[in-house]
């Protein structure tokens, strides 16, 4: 029981206690509300150039390590990079990356996010492609004939993998092309059927033919070995790019208004020294930072879009120039109705031609979008470069000449055509990289190596998963972790002087 005298003292203190309680509750409410976005520093610790998968993964990793005074400069009006959707004839199609791999012993982090987001995908089934292989002038090859060629190609792949492992164990500096390994195996594709099947086994994945692709750094294909051979085709209105957006939302308050993300800021100059970095953009803006992570494509690094001052060291320029940036082109067509086979086992078909890679791999989208009457054909590398130089009308004429041979002269013309031109795109200059023969691991390390405060990332800096979105994702994390070690004073690479 409280004495009356003490109660009188409490009454006198009541106004003060209420005021104190008010401020305590206000402070508690403030601490529990979402924290506002950090204001960008006039001179942030790190500027990230490029808001594709690797750039966003790098920025997220920095943020989670407590380095929050970052700034992301993106040349285009969007994030996502080469994961890029577009609307075509009322459906969402992917102009860039399209498949997510799964079913392997190592979980694919991008597939995990896709499941979390309930991303709509379709499991691609290539098993019946030997039943859907067309001759150059029309008509199907007998299934058994194609199966025999495919069995030879599979055995050849198996040899390439074993030979690659043997080379890696015997001499780390020795490498050959996939074509050289095929010659050693005494099995080189020669006729149109053998070439299109080999294209399906190699170029369709690597984007370049075996003669210009490293054996050691392609076989085994780590993406398939680690993450699995189940290929999930993204067909979601939000697009594959929603995975990059999901990662960005983990540390940005908004994808449009967070001050640490600046869109439409194409970088034209990076001036660097041991004291830091000054970046100039195409609109005349200038940004300063202690470090920069360059997350542009290899194709952009090979172009004159960004000027480095001083010039990058010779060893770095050689590493950039000597790696391959290639093109993977999906040409979409919308027809008034389907005239090609549909139903189970018809999703993919092959077209043979005396010229390797001439409109070889076709896919309809009736599984993903029933009744859409959409068909697309994939070309790569030199054929992509040739096609990009043509008009849409000229490309349509070439395609229709093929389709009429396969399905008859009376088939309708397409109502619309979509031709991505990644090679001609200013801010991409290609689709993804490919490891050429005799490009050494030392040089590959130099491709990823920092030059003073300038760090480099992207799918081309990944050793295990080059060319894949997972490669871009892991590369961004790895580069950020290297920079974090530097910032924390544990291991910092100073200006390099390789020859």
């Amino acid at each position: 029981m409280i004495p009356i005298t003490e109660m009188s003292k409490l009454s006198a203190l009541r106004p003060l206690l209420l005021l104190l309680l008010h401020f305590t509750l206000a402070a508690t409410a403030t601490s529990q509300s979402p924290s506002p976005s950090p204001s960008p520093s006039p001179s942030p610790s790190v500027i990230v150039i490029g808001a594709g998968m690797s750039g966003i993964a790098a920025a997220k990793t920095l943020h989670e390590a407590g380095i929050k005074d970052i700034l992301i400069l993106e040349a285009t009006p969007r994030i996502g990079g080469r994961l890029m959707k577009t609307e075509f004839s009322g459906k969402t199609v992917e102009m860039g990356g399209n498949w997510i791999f799964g079913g392997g012993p190592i979980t694919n982090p991008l597939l995990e996010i896709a499941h979390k987001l309930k991303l709509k995908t379709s499991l691609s089934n290539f098993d019946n492609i030997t039943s859907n292989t067309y001759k150059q002038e029309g008509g199907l090859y007998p299934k058994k004939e194609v199966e025999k060629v495919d069995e030879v190609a599979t055995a050849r792949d198996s040899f390439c993998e074993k030979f690659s492992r043997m080379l890696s164990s015997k001499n780390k500096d020795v490498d050959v092309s996939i074509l050289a390994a095929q010659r050693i195996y005494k099995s080189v594709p020669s006729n149109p059927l053998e070439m299109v099947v080999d294209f399906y086994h190699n170029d369709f994945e690597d984007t370049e033919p075996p003669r210009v692709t490293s054996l050691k750094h392609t076989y085994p294909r780590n993406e398939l070995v680690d993450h699995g051979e189940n290929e999930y085709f993204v067909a979601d209105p939000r697009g594959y790019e929603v995975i990059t957006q999901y990662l960005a939302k983990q540390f940005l308050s908004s994808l449009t208004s967070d001050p640490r993300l600046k869109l439409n800021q194409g970088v034209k100059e990076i001036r660097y020294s041991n004291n830091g970095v000054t970046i100039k953009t195409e609109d005349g803006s200038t940004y300063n930072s202690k470090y920069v992570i360059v997350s542009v494509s290899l194709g952009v690094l090979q172009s004159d879009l960004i000027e480095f001052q001083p010039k990058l060291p010779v060893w770095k320029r050689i590493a950039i120039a000597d790696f391959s940036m290639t093109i993977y082109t999906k040409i979409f067509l919308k027809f008034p109705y389907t005239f090609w086979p549909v139903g189970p086992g018809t999703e993919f078909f092959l077209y043979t031609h005396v010229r390797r890679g001439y409109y070889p791999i076709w896919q309809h989208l009736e599984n993903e979008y029933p009744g859409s009457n959409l068909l697309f054909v994939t070309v790569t590398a030199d054929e992509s470069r040739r096609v990009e130089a043509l008009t849409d009308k000229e490309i349509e004429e070439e395609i229709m000449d093929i389709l009429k041979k396969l399905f008859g002269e009376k088939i309708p013309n397409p109502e619309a055509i979509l031709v991505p031109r990644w090679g001609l795109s200013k801010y991409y200059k290609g689709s993804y990289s490919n490891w050429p023969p005799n490009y050494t691991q030392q040089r590959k390390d130099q491709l990823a190596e920092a030059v003073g405060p300038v760090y480099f990332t992207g799918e081309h800096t990944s050793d295990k998963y080059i060319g894949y979105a997972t490669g871009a994702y892991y590369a961004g994390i790895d580069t950020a972790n290297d920079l974090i070690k530097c910032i924390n004073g544990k291991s910092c690479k100073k200006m390099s002087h390789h020859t």
Side-chain angles (χ1 to χ4, degrees):
M1 185 173 180
I2 302 175
I4 293 178
T5 53
E6 295 300 319
M7 290 182 67
S8 300
K9 291 177 184 177
L10 285 172
S11 298
L13 290 171
R14 183 173 294 161
L16 183 61
L17 291 170
L18 289 173
L19 187 63
L20 182 61
L21 180 62
H22 168 77
F23 282 117
T24 302
L25 290 172
T28 302
T30 301
S31 67
Q32 290 176 346
S33 62
S35 58
S37 301
S39 297
S41 165
S43 182
S45 291
V46 186
I47 290 177
V48 178
I49 299 175
M53 179 64 77
S54 54
I56 292 299
K60 178 176 179 286
T61 303
L62 292 170
H63 179 92
E64 290 172 349
I67 302 167
K68 299 182 180 180
D69 59 331
I70 58 179
L71 179 64
I72 304 169
L73 301 178
E74 166 57 40
T76 72
R78 53 178 287 279
I79 72 166
R82 284 165 275 166
L83 299 182
M84 183 188 296
K85 70 173 183 179
T86 192
E87 295 301 310
F88 177 64
S89 296
K91 301 297 180 184
T92 299
V93 296
E94 300 291 338
M95 295 176 65
N98 218 136
W99 282 273
I100 308 176
F101 289 80
I106 298 175
T107 300
N108 185 338
L110 303 188
L111 187 59
E112 277 194 320
I113 296 172
H115 289 329
K116 188 177 293 185
L117 296 173
K118 294 182 170 56
L119 196 69
K120 183 183 176 185
T121 61
S122 173
L123 183 60
S124 293
N125 184 355
F126 297 92
D127 291 345
N128 205 42
I129 204 163
T130 52
S131 298
N132 304 318
T133 300
Y134 289 86
K135 300 175 182 177
Q136 182 168 330
E137 297 304 318
L140 285 167
Y141 281 96
K143 181 179 181 179
K144 287 187 177 180
E145 184 178 351
V146 185
E147 283 179 338
K148 186 176 180 180
V149 172
D150 189 58
E151 286 170 5
V152 171
T154 301
R156 190 166 56 226
D157 291 350
S158 179
F159 169 81
C160 284
E161 184 169 333
K162 291 174 184 174
F163 190 58
S164 173
R165 292 185 189 277
M166 186 270 287
L167 284 180
S168 297
S169 64
K170 296 268 185 187
N171 190 332
K172 66 177 183 178
D173 295 324
V174 174
D175 188 21
V176 298
S177 68
I178 294 174
L179 177 59
Q182 292 178 339
R183 287 172 176 157
I184 291 169
Y185 185 58
K186 305 296 184 184
S187 174
V188 178
S190 56
N191 63 47
L193 177 57
E194 292 171 349
M195 285 192 294
V196 79
V197 170
D198 187 56
F199 185 102
Y200 166 65
H201 278 249
N202 287 291
D203 310 36
F204 190 42
E205 203 67 40
D206 309 322
T207 313
E208 287 192 313
R211 62 182 170 79
V212 292
T213 300
S214 163
L215 174 73
K216 275 177 58 173
H217 302 288
T218 304
Y219 280 88
R221 289 187 169 87
N222 293 311
E223 177 72 10
L224 281 65
V225 171
D226 291 351
H227 297 140
E229 297 187 22
N230 292 341
E231 300 185 39
Y232 295 94
F233 185 90
V234 176
D236 191 288
R238 295 166 293 174
Y240 198 158
E241 64 193 46
V242 75
I243 293 179
T244 313
Q245 294 167 2
Y246 170 84
L247 293 170
K249 288 175 182 177
Q250 305 305 301
F251 67 97
L252 294 175
S253 63
S254 166
L255 302 186
T256 55
S257 61
D258 191 307
R260 292 170 298 164
L261 172 65
K262 292 188 179 293
L263 302 174
N264 299 303
Q265 289 291 294
V267 171
K268 69 174 185 177
E269 182 182 281
I270 300 175
R271 190 174 293 271
Y272 65 98
S273 70
N274 280 328
N275 297 321
V277 181
T278 298
I279 292 169
K280 293 183 180 179
T281 57
E282 293 171 346
D283 67 358
S285 301
T286 299
Y287 302 93
N288 298 300
S289 65
K290 296 175 185 175
Y291 304 93
V292 62
I293 293 179
V294 181
S295 179
V296 300
S297 76
L298 175 69
V300 168
L301 290 176
Q302 291 173 342
S303 76
D304 60 358
L305 183 65
I306 299 175
E307 180 183 2
F308 288 87
Q309 289 290 344
K311 284 185 177 181
L312 293 172
V314 172
W315 61 265
K316 186 71 175 183
R317 282 182 277 153
I318 290 173
I320 291 170
D322 208 25
F323 211 57
S324 293
M325 184 69 177
T326 187
I327 313 172
Y328 185 103
T329 310
K330 291 175 292 183
I331 303 167
F332 294 89
L333 301 115
K334 161 73 171 178
F335 289 93
Y337 55 86
T338 59
F339 49 81
W340 54 87
V342 295
T346 65
E347 186 176 5
F348 298 90
F349 62 89
L350 300 179
Y351 172 66
T352 59
H353 195 274
V354 290
R355 191 162 86 213
R356 183 190 178 100
Y358 188 79
Y359 300 105
I361 298 185
W362 300 71
Q363 180 179 350
H364 71 67
L365 292 177
E366 291 302 303
N367 292 359
E368 293 76 16
Y369 298 122
S372 63
N373 308 326
L374 295 181
L375 185 68
F376 74 88
V377 58
T378 300
V379 295
T380 65
D382 289 344
E383 275 300 302
S384 286
R385 294 181 183 93
R386 184 189 70 82
V387 162
E388 285 193 354
L390 302 177
T391 65
D392 285 4
K393 187 64 179 174
E394 288 170 329
I395 297 167
E396 181 183 317
E397 288 173 357
E398 288 188 346
I399 288 173
M400 288 307 296
D401 181 59
I402 294 170
L403 291 177
K404 286 179 180 179
K405 288 176 181 176
L406 305 191
F407 303 112
E409 287 289 333
K410 295 183 179 180
I411 63 171
N413 288 322
E415 298 174 340
I417 184 171
L418 171 66
V419 185
R421 288 178 168 84
W422 289 100
L424 298 178
S425 176
K426 175 181 179 180
Y427 296 123
Y428 301 104
K429 294 293 183 182
S431 300
Y432 52 87
S433 62
N434 185 45
W435 199 313
N438 300 312
Y439 187 97
T440 64
Q441 183 63 54
Q442 179 187 13
R443 185 160 289 174
K444 184 63 167 56
D445 293 340
Q446 292 176 343
L447 182 61
E449 188 172 340
V451 178
V454 184
Y455 284 67
F456 296 84
T457 196
E459 51 83 14
H460 57 281
T461 69
S462 170
D463 277 351
K464 288 193 75 176
Y465 309 122
I466 62 166
Y468 294 96
T470 44
Y473 172 77
Y474 283 121
I477 294 171
D478 290 344
T479 302
N481 283 329
D482 286 344
L483 179 52
I484 290 164
K485 289 177 187 175
C486 177
I487 291 173
N488 292 338
K490 294 179 180 177
S491 172
C492 204
K493 297 174 182 176
K494 299 298 181 183
M495 294 289 284
S496 300
H497 298 285
H498 297 256
T499 56

